[in-house]
Structure formats: structure tokens, C-alpha cells
Amino acid sequence: MKLLWLLLLVVTSASGQTSLHSLPNPLLDHSNSSIRFDTLTIGTVDEAISKFYEEKERLIQQVVSIPAGKQTFQNTALVFDKIKSETLELMCRMELESIFALSDTVRNKSKDELGKLYGYFLNLLSDENLYRSIKRFYTSGQGRNLVPDQKKILNDALLALKIKGMELAPAERKELEQLNEKIGSLGTQFADNIAFKKAYPANEKILDSMLYYRQQVANVLGYRSYASFALQDKMAASPENVWNFLTDLKIKITPSVGSYIAELKAIKKQMHPDSSDVLSESDFSFYRKKLLEKKYNYNANELKNYFELDNTVRGMFRVCEKLFGLKIKQVHGPVWNEKVTSYELYADGKKRGMIYLDLYPRPGKYGTENMTPITWYRKENGKEILPAGVLKCNLAEPDSSGVSLLSIADVTTLFHEFGHLLHFLLLHTELSSQFFDLKADFVEAPSQFLENWVYEYDALKLFARHYKTGEILPKSLCDKLKKAHEDGNGPRNMMEIYFSFIDLTFYDKYDSIKSKTLDEVTKQLYVDLQVPFQLIDHVELNFHHLAENASYYYNYLWSNVYAKDLFSVFQKNGVMDTKTGIRYRKEILEKAGTVDEMQAIKKFLGREANSDAYMRSLGIK
């Protein structure tokens, strides 16, 4: 009987049901089949890692060994793209396993291997032979005659390699490597001191050293400042452009700040007559809530009744389907947890990718909400391999009656992360790594853009219903929501401008401030910008972005200004106008890193971009 059962199992597997033992390694599977992450073991991780390194080293040698006259786009650029995209893809999958794996040992193993893969990827961008080979092809006759998107991928690749110091002599590259090791170690200490509440005074000397060593990096690479070096591959391109951008926002926002702060102080005095006339950051949040109740009779908890989780997810899908000409269909394939749901994404009648939603917390699951790619789009032997990605959150699970109600912040997070996911899934290009080549200070724009529909009644009336009565969200309540969303944005954005100024001052004006203490510089900026809140002492020592994303804090404002400008086209044509939405999908989302982002924005807008729509969103006319 046992022999017969085994025979039937083999026959069944051969006739359509795949035996687990014949499944491809889920970490290396590049197909349109659902990936069986539930089969992952320590053995499959080891097997995947071993095969990956062996295959990538073979491909690197293949690229660098091709003589100059024999190089083509296919045997050089496409192979380099394969190396880069498959490295990034495996890193994404290892990150997911470090979060989602059922076994603690597999999670820990995946986390360890992810760290090694990250080091491997950085070394890949420091491979001199690979750099020389790609540059040789780029400067050849064939390389100069490539079509624009092919030339762009090579230009981006060379810039990434140049940033790693590949134009330097060996001794200078060694110096750069040592400087980066010191910066990395200091950054870890800086973050640790913030997390165990020791930022002051411990981080004072650490931050001072980080600024010094980053300026040395700039000097070695031939740049005036670290910001000049760090911004060369961003949309902003230079510190001067960021200074102009931030100064323009400061000038426009400042007049609205004083009157709003006066309103908050008046409420504080009314509630606590003997209190001081100073507002802390926590005061701002507390009294802003009281002000919203007074001005608009606004209660955020009242809105929760209209945003039941399952209905909100279906509503988000419905909005995007109507807006961008999409179709999202739930399917029931293998997933890594029984509460994960999966969907197929269609556009223009054609399947474009796979969506996974992992929305609930569970033991061992990493807490941050984000989108992570699983499979990158590629073409292999003439066949399309479609992309797949997961949106992960930690939303409240349904209660015993099957209900989970979302706050507006939860709803906004869903739309934001789904914006990232759509952007990733809709890019189908010849070079699969071109999503990765998207300018870093534009990455957030498509996700911030999608947030706008959370506050538009024409979108909300499609799905926002009271979980008990089925009543559609009243327009009057939506109007309150929108006013409350805009209320107080001037002062809040002034804080973002202030921290952006700190970041850029430290990393672009190091030579002019190095004789001053960090606290002196920070406090002078506080006075110059007329920051309306009382901040904690030595705020710069608790500012973790100074270690992690130097010269980059402006990004949050920068990308949102472009997101609002793009949204202004919908405000003009109708926020649910499908024709405009499909044009946005094709000209912005589907282009990603294949074209210059500024030119793509200009084409969609039909004009130069500006901050007018952003100012209107702050309630500043």
C-alpha cells in the first residue's frame, strides 16, 4: 500500500502537481510561478547563496574578458544589468525571509546573509575590472550610438561606480575605503547612542568626527563639500539647487506660521492660565488637536467607523483601477503565512505582476511598514518574467466580530506604500535594474502623490462606508478631514525645513562652521529660521539622518512638492479622471529610471514644475 501511495504521488506530480523536492530554490526562482517561501530551510538558504556567488562571479568574468572590439550591448550592458538586478533581488528576498520566515533559525540566517550580500553589492560597485570594461564599451563607437534609455543605464552605472572612487589611483581608493569604514563605525555608534538615550554628550564627538571624515571623502574625490559629492546622482544635482529650493519654501511659509502659533498659545493659555508662553513639539500636537476640535468640530476617531480594513483595501484597489485603467484580481496561490493575500495586476488587458499583502503583526515580524520587491521584471530567452512585490504593514487584526477599523494615518500609509508597489510593478523595461536607477529624491513622489486620494471625496465616496450601517461617508465629514489635514502644515513644514537646513549646513558649509560648536550652529539656524517650537537641547545629536542619509533630508519636502504639482493636473481635470490617470501611468510610473525624471514631470505637466500646488495644500494661497 505504501509503495502504491508513493507511485500515485509521483504520477500526480508529473501530471500537474509539483513535488516539493522538484521545486526550484525559492530564493533563486525566476519564473512566473508563485514562489514557495513556505518551503525555505537553512539548507535552501545555503544552496541559494552558494549558487548565487558562483553564478555572479562567472558572469563578471564573462563581462571583463570580452575584448574591446567584441563588446555589444547584449554581452556587456545586459549582463551587467543581470548581475546588478539579481543581486538586488536576492537581497530583497533575504530581507523578506529575515522578517517572514516561520523558523527563528531561518530568520537569523537570512539576516546574516543579507549583511554579507550588502557588502558583496558594495564591492561589486568597486570592481575595477568591471568598471573598466563597462567604460570601454560606453566610450566605444557602438556605445556612443546607443538609443537614449540604453545610454542612460550605462551612464548611471558609470556614475555609481565613479562615486565608489573608481577614477582614483589605488592609494586614493584605499584611503577612501578606510574613511568609509570609519564613517560606518561612527554611524553605528551614533544610532546606538540615540536608541539607548545617550545622545548627549556621547554623540557630540562622534558627529564632529563624522562631519570631518565625510569632508575628507569629498576632498579625496575632488568635491568642494560632501553635499556636492552626495547630490551628484540626485534630481537636485547640487547643493545650490537644494539651498534655493529650501529658501523659497521658507520665504513662502514663514508668514503663515506666526498667526497659527498664536492660536495655539491662546488655547494653551485658556486651558492652563498659569502655563508659560512657550510651545514644545509635544505642545504643538496636543493643542493642535484641541484647535481642530474647536475650529471644525473635528474628531479623528469618528472617521474610523468608515474605514474597515478589508473594505478599505478593496476601496484602494477600486480607486486605482478606475484612476489608472488597472484590474486587480485576487488569486489563491502559495503564501508564507495563512493571513497573507495575493492578487494579480492587469493593465491594458495584460497581466503586469503579482501583489502580496502582509498586513498583520505576528511574532518575529519586523515592524516597519514598506514595500519590498520579490521578483524584478526581466526578459529571459524571449519570455517575460513578471514582477512581484509585497506591501507589509502592522495593522490591527479583526476582532472577534471580524472588524478592524483604521485611523486616517493607517489609510494614508496603505495608499502611500501601495503607490510604491504600483510604481515597481508597472515598470517593464529592457533593463530590469532601471527601477533601482530612479533618482533617490524622486522615489517618494509617486507614493506621496497617491496619498492625495485619501482626502478627496470623489474617491472616498466609492468605498468609505460606516462598518455598521453601510452609510457612505458624509461629504461634510470629508470636508472636515481635508481642512484638518491642511491645518497647521505651515509650522510643521517649517520644522522639516529647519532639519533640512541643519543637514545641508553641516555637509555643505563644513569649512565655514568647523570653528564653531555643533550646538552653536544648530541654535543660530533656529534663530534665523524663526522656528516656532522649543526644541530639546542638542537636537542635532538626536538627528539620526545626519548619520544615515547625509545631505538628503530635504528629500521629503522635495518629492512632496513634485507630488503635489503632479496632482494639480488631476485637480484641474477631475481627481478620478481616467484619461489623465492613464497618461500619468504611462508617462511617469512606467518610465521610472528610463528617462530623466525632471523631463518626464515637465512633459506630464506641460510646463516647468513649481511649488504653487504644494503651497495651496498647506492652506497658503
Side-chain angles (χ1 to χ4, degrees):
M1 182 63 73
K2 185 176 180 180
L3 181 61
L4 178 60
W5 181 85
L6 288 171
L7 183 59
L8 285 171
L9 180 61
V10 172
V11 171
T12 303
S13 297
S15 64
Q17 297 297 319
T18 306
S19 166
L20 287 178
H21 295 293
S22 65
L23 287 171
N25 189 303
L27 294 172
L28 300 179
D29 184 16
H30 307 302
S31 72
N32 288 322
S33 301
S34 297
I35 298 174
R36 295 297 303 267
F37 283 111
D38 56 324
T39 67
L40 205 66
T41 65
I42 290 290
T44 52
V45 174
D46 285 333
E47 177 193 48
I49 293 297
S50 176
K51 287 184 176 180
F52 167 82
Y53 286 130
E54 182 180 336
E55 169 69 2
K56 295 303 162 290
E57 291 307 310
R58 183 187 68 79
L59 290 175
I60 290 171
Q61 291 307 311
Q62 178 181 316
V63 172
V64 302
S65 63
I66 301 170
K70 300 292 185 180
Q71 287 181 302
T72 65
F73 186 77
Q74 286 70 30
N75 67 21
T76 302
L78 284 183
V79 177
F80 176 71
D81 177 67
K82 180 179 176 68
I83 295 167
K84 187 166 76 166
S85 63
E86 289 187 359
T87 303
L88 291 166
E89 183 179 77
L90 184 57
M91 288 170 67
C92 288
R93 292 183 179 185
M94 295 306 297
E95 179 190 359
L96 288 173
E97 284 309 308
S98 71
I99 301 165
F100 294 150
L102 301 178
S103 159
D104 289 344
T105 55
V106 173
R107 279 203 304 273
N108 293 334
K109 172 73 171 176
S110 300
K111 186 176 180 180
D112 290 343
E113 295 298 342
L114 175 61
K116 295 173 186 176
L117 279 167
Y118 180 70
Y120 178 82
F121 183 69
L122 293 181
N123 289 334
L124 186 68
L125 298 180
S126 303
D127 189 305
E128 185 171 3
N129 291 330
L130 195 57
Y131 174 66
R132 302 298 174 200
S133 178
I134 295 168
K135 186 175 182 180
R136 186 169 65 241
F137 172 66
Y138 183 69
T139 56
S140 69
Q142 188 181 144
R144 288 193 295 270
N145 293 323
L146 294 172
V147 297
D149 65 327
Q150 291 178 336
K151 181 165 278 191
K152 184 178 184 298
I153 189 70
L154 282 172
N155 188 58
D156 290 343
L158 287 171
L159 179 57
L161 291 162
K162 179 186 175 184
I163 286 171
K164 295 297 293 180
M166 298 313 298
E167 290 289 335
L168 300 176
E172 291 173 317
R173 282 209 305 278
K174 184 65 177 177
E175 181 183 359
L176 184 65
E177 182 181 324
Q178 292 171 343
L179 286 169
N180 283 326
E181 286 177 359
K182 290 177 181 178
I183 292 167
S185 176
L186 289 168
T188 300
Q189 295 174 51
F190 190 82
D192 286 347
N193 287 336
I194 292 174
F196 298 109
K197 308 296 182 183
K198 297 178 181 177
Y200 178 76
N203 276 349
E204 195 163 27
K205 189 172 290 186
I206 291 172
L207 179 56
D208 190 64
S209 297
M210 268 198 295
L211 297 179
Y212 172 78
Y213 288 129
R214 280 191 166 130
Q215 183 62 34
Q216 295 308 303
V217 165
N219 294 342
V220 169
L221 289 164
Y223 292 89
R224 175 186 61 79
S225 69
Y226 187 82
S228 298
F229 156 69
L231 292 171
Q232 62 183 313
D233 61 345
K234 310 294 190 299
M235 265 183 80
S238 71
E240 291 71 28
N241 288 336
V242 180
W243 282 120
N244 291 337
F245 168 78
L246 293 173
T247 301
D248 177 65
L249 291 186
K250 176 184 81 75
I251 291 170
K252 290 175 178 176
I253 290 173
T254 297
S256 71
V257 174
S259 59
Y260 191 82
I261 294 300
E263 287 186 87
L264 296 183
K265 286 182 177 180
I267 288 186
K268 181 180 181 181
K269 208 69 177 173
Q270 182 181 3
M271 294 179 66
H272 306 286
D274 297 329
S275 64
S276 81
D277 194 37
V278 176
L279 285 179
S280 66
E281 284 186 90
S282 59
D283 283 341
F284 177 83
S285 299
F286 178 80
Y287 293 110
R288 177 177 175 268
K289 183 179 177 181
K290 297 299 180 184
L291 185 61
L292 293 177
E293 292 172 357
K294 179 180 178 181
K295 289 168 73 172
Y296 310 118
N297 191 28
Y298 174 76
N299 184 346
N301 288 328
E302 183 182 359
L303 282 162
K304 281 189 171 186
N305 296 322
Y306 294 89
F307 293 101
E308 190 277 323
L309 175 55
D310 288 340
N311 186 56
T312 301
V313 169
R314 288 193 297 269
M316 178 177 69
F317 288 170
R318 187 178 177 189
V319 168
C320 292
E321 285 177 326
K322 180 173 173 56
L323 195 57
F324 304 126
L326 304 173
K327 184 67 178 176
I328 300 170
K329 176 185 174 184
Q330 185 167 4
V331 292
H332 299 283
V335 290
W336 51 90
N337 184 276
E338 61 182 6
K339 294 175 183 175
V340 172
T341 50
S342 56
Y343 308 81
E344 293 176 338
L345 175 70
Y346 292 84
D348 303 322
K350 188 177 179 183
K351 184 178 175 182
R352 302 296 293 269
M354 284 290 298
I355 295 166
Y356 293 89
L357 300 185
D358 190 333
L359 302 180
Y360 306 122
R362 58 180 176 271
K365 180 182 172 185
Y366 181 56
T368 301
E369 291 81 6
N370 64 17
M371 181 284 291
T372 303
I374 297 175
T375 300
W376 296 64
Y377 176 84
R378 58 171 58 78
K379 290 182 180 177
E380 290 186 355
N381 302 319
K383 180 183 178 182
E384 285 188 313
I385 307 301
L386 298 178
V390 56
L391 189 163
K392 57 183 189 292
C393 292
N394 284 283
L395 302 172
E397 287 198 61
D399 59 22
S400 57
S401 61
V403 174
S404 174
L405 300 180
L406 303 181
S407 67
I408 281 299
D410 292 331
V411 178
T412 303
T413 295
L414 269 177
F415 273 70
H416 180 99
E417 298 304 338
F418 195 62
H420 281 306
L421 187 51
L422 284 181
H423 197 189
F424 172 71
L425 295 178
L426 290 169
L427 174 66
H428 290 193
T429 62
E430 183 178 13
L431 297 156
S432 60
S433 66
Q434 282 190 299
F435 181 82
F436 180 76
D437 292 323
L438 193 71
K439 293 288 193 297
D441 48 2
F442 185 70
V443 168
E444 292 297 325
S447 52
Q448 290 171 325
F449 165 84
L450 198 59
E451 290 180 23
N452 288 291
W453 276 264
V454 175
Y455 305 93
E456 291 294 330
Y457 190 66
D458 284 347
L460 294 182
K461 69 182 182 181
L462 297 176
F463 70 91
R465 294 176 177 271
H466 196 287
Y467 79 103
K468 286 183 178 178
T469 67
E471 173 199 18
I472 295 173
L473 177 76
K475 188 175 187 303
S476 59
L477 190 51
C478 181
D479 291 342
K480 289 182 184 180
L481 165 64
K482 195 166 186 175
K483 288 177 181 177
H485 177 60
E486 294 178 354
D487 199 272
N489 273 335
R492 283 187 291 181
N493 276 267
M494 188 57 75
M495 288 301 299
E496 295 296 290
I497 292 170
Y498 173 57
F499 284 111
S500 298
F501 263 79
I502 292 174
D503 181 34
L504 203 57
T505 299
F506 282 173
Y507 286 116
D508 189 48
K509 297 185 176 181
Y510 177 78
D511 285 338
S512 63
I513 65 168
K514 62 185 179 184
S515 61
K516 303 176 182 177
T517 68
L518 300 175
D519 202 43
E520 285 173 342
V521 175
T522 305
K523 286 180 176 177
Q524 187 59 53
L525 288 172
Y526 178 89
V527 173
D528 293 344
L529 290 170
Q530 303 172 49
V531 176
F533 311 127
Q534 182 183 48
L535 301 175
I536 63 171
D537 288 335
H538 304 284
V539 65
E540 74 280 1
L541 304 185
N542 286 278
F543 187 17
H544 62 86
H545 281 272
L546 291 174
E548 296 174 3
N549 297 301
S551 307
Y552 186 54
Y553 195 76
Y554 75 93
N555 160 64
Y556 299 100
L557 291 165
W558 177 278
S559 57
N560 210 0
V561 165
Y562 288 105
K564 294 296 184 187
D565 210 5
L566 291 167
F567 179 60
S568 71
V569 180
F570 291 84
Q571 291 175 306
K572 178 182 177 181
N573 297 341
V575 295
M576 291 306 300
D577 183 61
T578 303
K579 184 178 179 180
T580 305
I582 290 176
R583 187 164 73 85
Y584 172 83
R585 165 166 66 89
K586 292 181 180 294
E587 294 182 9
I588 302 295
L589 296 183
E590 293 183 3
K591 295 297 183 184
T594 65
V595 296
D596 179 81
E597 290 82 358
M598 198 71 83
Q599 292 305 311
I601 292 169
K602 183 179 177 180
K603 180 182 177 183
F604 181 77
L605 294 173
R607 57 169 171 77
E608 296 289 344
N610 61 55
S611 64
D612 292 351
Y614 185 70
M615 288 300 132
R616 289 195 297 273
S617 76
L618 304 183
I620 300 172
K621 310 300 182 188

